Amino acid sequence: QARLEAIQEATELGAGFQIALRDLEIRGAGDILGPEQSGHIAAVGFELYTQLLAQAVEEIRQGRPLEEPPSVTVDLPVEATIPENYCGDPAVRMELYQRFARARKMSELRELEEELRDRFGPLPEPVTKLLELARLRIRASHIGISAIMERDGEIFIRPVIGARINQDALRRQLGQGVYVTPNQVRLLISRLKVDWWDALSAVLRTIEDVGATLLLAGDD
């Protein structure tokens, strides 16, 4: 139904490109290891293709291979999108999604947020969440976390140095739903006494403090 509506809306000359972009939004860009492959870039997937292309261009500019930051998987139950009633052009939305995915510094996200406000107005809630998830991904990358995922009412944060994290202190602050193991922190949402997003932020602050303490100890 969504594809038929896209075809009906795009009747002007050259609309085929707009239809293709809209279809890409509807079905997802695909992944090199996933089943959702179609189109001219099916061999690697659209997202990976654009990432590899941008990396190759930057390596040519700098004259040396780029050091890739560690990848972070963030899979949380929030609506993080750019609504059509905020940005109506499918091509522009696709470009903005790519910029969110490519961002590696908080300063890049601040610039992107300012641009969005300037071009389209105040941020709706789904765009705000998109920014927050991007910030979370960058923050996690800086402290060595590779995955923050929600599964069946539980949030998993890994890897962590569990031996350095005070589970009892976190439970006093966040509730009994905090479980610390040697390699991960698990949050059982139903047993937290604060909002799960606030609990996640508090755990990340604790991990950051642990990392800072270890760095200071190494300097000594």
Side-chain angles (χ1 to χ4, degrees):
Q1 182 64 32
R3 288 185 173 90
L4 289 174
E5 289 175 359
I7 293 172
Q8 284 180 328
E9 292 169 1
T11 57
E12 71 277 4
L13 184 65
F17 179 67
Q18 299 298 329
I19 293 173
L21 284 174
R22 180 65 180 139
D23 179 65
L24 189 61
E25 271 196 329
I26 292 168
R27 66 176 170 78
D31 184 84
I32 190 170
L33 299 178
E36 298 180 353
Q37 299 295 336
S38 62
H40 296 294
I41 317 171
V44 295
F46 180 78
E47 182 178 353
L48 181 58
Y49 174 83
T50 55
Q51 178 183 337
L52 291 173
L53 181 60
Q55 178 180 331
V57 171
E58 190 61 28
E59 287 181 349
I60 292 173
R61 285 176 178 170
Q62 297 190 17
R64 59 180 176 81
L66 296 180
E67 292 185 9
E68 280 293 304
S71 61
V72 181
T73 298
V74 177
D75 186 1
L76 296 171
V78 296
E79 181 186 356
T81 61
I82 303 173
E84 290 184 30
N85 59 9
Y86 185 67
C87 172
D89 189 325
V92 174
R93 285 202 306 278
M94 185 62 64
E95 177 196 357
L96 291 172
Y97 281 128
Q98 291 175 23
R99 290 174 63 185
F100 273 108
R102 290 196 304 264
R104 294 292 181 267
K105 300 177 182 177
M106 294 295 186
S107 59
E108 296 176 29
L109 291 179
R110 286 193 294 269
E111 291 173 2
L112 182 53
E113 180 179 2
E114 291 174 3
E115 180 182 333
L116 288 171
R117 293 183 185 277
D118 183 58
R119 293 174 66 181
F120 307 110
L123 306 184
E125 184 66 18
V127 179
T128 299
K129 287 300 183 184
L130 192 60
L131 271 168
E132 290 178 353
L133 286 181
R135 292 190 186 105
L136 182 68
R137 174 177 51 80
I138 293 173
R139 187 179 177 188
S141 176
H142 289 167
I143 55 179
I145 291 173
S146 62
I148 302 175
M149 302 181 296
E150 186 273 341
R151 294 290 184 272
D152 299 323
E154 296 183 85
I155 296 174
F156 300 88
I157 307 162
R158 60 171 78 103
V160 301
I161 306 175
R164 298 276 182 169
I165 297 175
N166 189 325
Q167 176 178 277
D168 293 335
L170 283 175
R171 285 186 170 183
R172 287 192 295 271
Q173 179 184 359
L174 309 176
Q176 294 301 306
V178 180
Y179 301 89
V180 179
T181 65
N183 297 309
Q184 73 175 11
V185 175
R186 182 166 57 94
L187 300 176
L188 182 58
I189 295 175
S190 63
R191 300 194 64 193
L192 296 173
K193 64 181 182 181
V194 300
D195 180 79
W196 66 263
W197 185 270
D198 294 334
L200 175 57
S201 297
V203 170
L204 291 183
R205 281 195 301 272
T206 299
I207 297 171
E208 288 167 341
D209 292 343
V210 167
T213 302
L214 289 175
L215 284 175
L216 288 174
D219 291 340
D220 292 342

